[in-house]
Amino acid sequence: MFLKNLNSEALFHPAIPAIPMGRYAHFVLLRETTSYSLFQTDGQLNFAKVQAGIKDKKESVSRVVMFKRKQTTPERLTGRELLRRYGLLSGVEGNARYCEYNSAAFCKVCPDCIFYGFAIGQEGSERSKILVDSAFSLSLFDESHESFTFNAPYEHGTMSEGTVTKSSFGEQDHVKPQVIFPAVVTIHDPTEAEFIYVLNNILRTKRYGAQTTRTGSLENHLVAVVFSDGEIFSNLKLTQTLYDKVAKEAKGHYEIEGLVQQTVAALPGLLAEDGVVANPVLTGESLNRLVEEVSTIIRDEGRLQAVLQQAYTESEQYARSYGAKRDKKANNPKADKKASKGPEAQQGTLLPEG
């Protein structure tokens, strides 16, 4: 056991189960942009027209959308980077542990493949055990974005070379700093190592969206950890609930500490509406103790390696027992029985025993 502040035996599975077993761990987050960010598809900022809040069902507003892949991809890459650093994955083609993200070269065995899932046509697939949905900005679209003109100067810093002026001008919409995206990340039937692996990815990942080498800084504020027997409220419902509570006073400018308090205050009512058994719900001091314990583990190289190795062992065992790497003949008694029959048995003649 890695965690002392949780009843791990009651909350986590000892191994990744083959079928759903009704245990959920939810991370309730406020994702806050800390620089100008690009969340776009086909060159345009993603936005959606939705109901403003829960109470006012008539008012529709536009909000910036952070699609689910804009959230999961950076976090997956953070985990994969660590797995490679400690020799549990390889970036060298031909190596036994070679795994290439988002391609037909997924290894189908590592924690990233098994926890977050993959799909490779006829070669197999794995359903994600990490449930993520699109997140919606708390502030409205007009308050959340800004348009910038960009250019690509020559080395001497101007747009002209001789008498020729470069034509590489353009304009892009960026999400402003300090825009809040309330979000829930859920682990379905977690093991303890999986729980730490996913939380570590969330805490370590600092850049999201396009052009992450130049912009896209984002901070994940962990507001609560909820253990339950079912799924809880959606990202949009959480956003609309907070909008009802703070929109009139905030006028588009939200202070993160106040939002954390408002989110914690809204949790009991939201969970009651979900009709799930939620126990424990970690907020405040109990959450701080858990985060500090996890932070202590991931800052200690030896303990971090132990968690990653445990996660890899669990995912490999699952892959070979139930996943794309399983021995289908060994897991199919009917196929074994049919394969054991000789020509005489297939013609209706019984084979002698022994």
Side-chain angles (χ1 to χ4, degrees):
M1 296 295 178
F2 298 102
L3 300 173
K4 308 300 182 186
N5 283 300
L6 291 176
N7 184 353
S8 295
E9 290 187 2
L11 298 175
F12 303 120
H13 293 286
I16 303 171
I19 56 177
M21 300 296 289
R23 291 186 188 179
Y24 294 78
H26 310 274
F27 302 110
V28 181
L29 305 167
L30 295 176
R31 301 187 188 270
E32 179 189 17
T33 56
T34 53
S35 72
Y36 286 96
S37 303
L38 284 169
F39 305 134
Q40 62 182 19
T41 303
D42 297 328
Q44 301 219 350
L45 205 61
N46 299 319
F47 70 96
K49 195 165 186 178
V50 294
Q51 187 175 303
I54 299 294
K55 295 178 181 177
D56 187 350
K57 300 185 182 300
K58 294 182 180 179
E59 183 186 3
S60 292
V61 298
S62 292
R63 287 192 159 99
V64 178
V65 181
M66 189 179 182
F67 285 146
K68 54 187 180 294
R69 286 191 179 274
K70 300 292 185 187
Q71 301 169 65
T72 56
T73 293
E75 291 165 5
R76 291 185 72 163
L77 295 179
T78 295
R80 292 172 65 85
E81 182 178 281
L82 279 176
L83 291 171
R84 283 194 297 270
R85 173 181 172 86
Y86 294 112
L88 297 171
L89 275 191
S90 172
V92 179
E93 194 169 356
N95 187 289
R97 288 188 169 177
Y98 176 69
C99 185
E100 184 179 341
Y101 179 66
N102 206 18
S103 75
F106 271 124
C107 70
K108 312 173 192 175
V109 169
C110 71
D112 177 73
C113 288
I114 300 303
F115 297 163
Y116 289 93
F118 63 88
I120 319 174
Q122 299 299 316
E123 294 185 40
S125 63
E126 184 62 50
R127 183 183 176 88
S128 176
K129 294 154 188 62
I130 317 301
L131 313 181
V132 180
D133 203 352
S134 296
F136 300 81
S137 63
L138 182 57
S139 51
L140 307 187
F141 180 76
D142 289 341
E143 303 165 342
S144 304
H145 84 287
E146 193 171 337
S147 185
F148 287 98
T149 301
F150 63 88
N151 56 41
Y154 289 102
E155 188 170 348
H156 47 68
T158 72
M159 295 295 294
S160 299
E161 187 173 47
T163 58
V164 179
T165 300
K166 206 169 185 179
S167 60
S168 53
F169 291 90
E171 190 174 72
Q172 280 186 323
D173 277 342
H174 289 69
V175 179
K176 291 180 179 180
Q178 297 188 310
V179 172
I180 310 296
F181 293 84
V184 179
V185 176
T186 298
I187 312 177
H188 195 179
D189 289 317
T191 65
E192 188 183 41
E194 180 182 5
F195 177 87
I196 298 173
Y197 180 84
V198 174
L199 179 53
N200 178 49
N201 291 348
I202 292 171
L203 295 176
R204 280 179 181 252
T205 306
K206 305 298 182 186
R207 292 180 183 269
Y208 292 76
Q211 296 186 6
T212 52
T213 58
R214 297 176 178 86
T215 184
S217 295
L218 183 147
E219 184 172 356
N220 291 309
H221 302 277
L222 183 61
V223 177
V225 176
V226 180
F227 293 91
S228 70
D229 62 352
E231 284 196 64
I232 62 173
F233 46 84
S234 69
N235 295 345
L236 180 58
K237 187 173 183 180
L238 177 58
T239 299
Q240 292 169 331
T241 300
L242 290 176
Y243 184 82
D244 282 341
K245 287 178 172 292
V246 301
K248 290 182 181 178
E249 295 78 12
K251 297 180 180 179
H253 301 285
Y254 300 102
E255 190 261 327
I256 194 66
E257 285 77 13
L259 281 177
V260 169
Q261 294 173 5
Q262 292 285 1
T263 306
V264 170
L267 280 178
L270 289 169
L271 292 172
E273 292 176 12
D274 291 328
V276 297
V277 175
N279 184 37
V281 178
L282 305 180
T283 59
E285 189 55 39
S286 61
L287 178 65
N288 291 339
R289 286 195 298 270
L290 173 63
V291 172
E292 181 55 35
E293 185 174 24
V294 172
S295 297
T296 300
I297 292 172
I298 63 180
R299 289 195 301 261
D300 184 318
E301 190 170 38
R303 297 178 72 187
L304 175 59
Q305 282 185 266
V307 171
L308 295 175
Q309 181 60 63
Q310 179 64 26
Y312 192 95
T313 299
E314 291 171 358
S315 62
E316 184 178 38
Q317 289 174 345
Y318 174 88
R320 302 199 184 284
S321 297
Y322 314 112
K325 290 289 187 178
R326 72 187 183 280
D327 184 340
K328 296 181 180 180
K329 185 181 291 187
N331 287 278
N332 188 347
K334 292 182 179 180
D336 289 346
K337 187 175 180 181
K338 184 176 179 180
S340 69
K341 295 180 179 181
E344 295 87 350
Q346 292 176 16
Q347 292 171 7
T349 304
L350 294 176
L351 294 174
E353 295 182 359

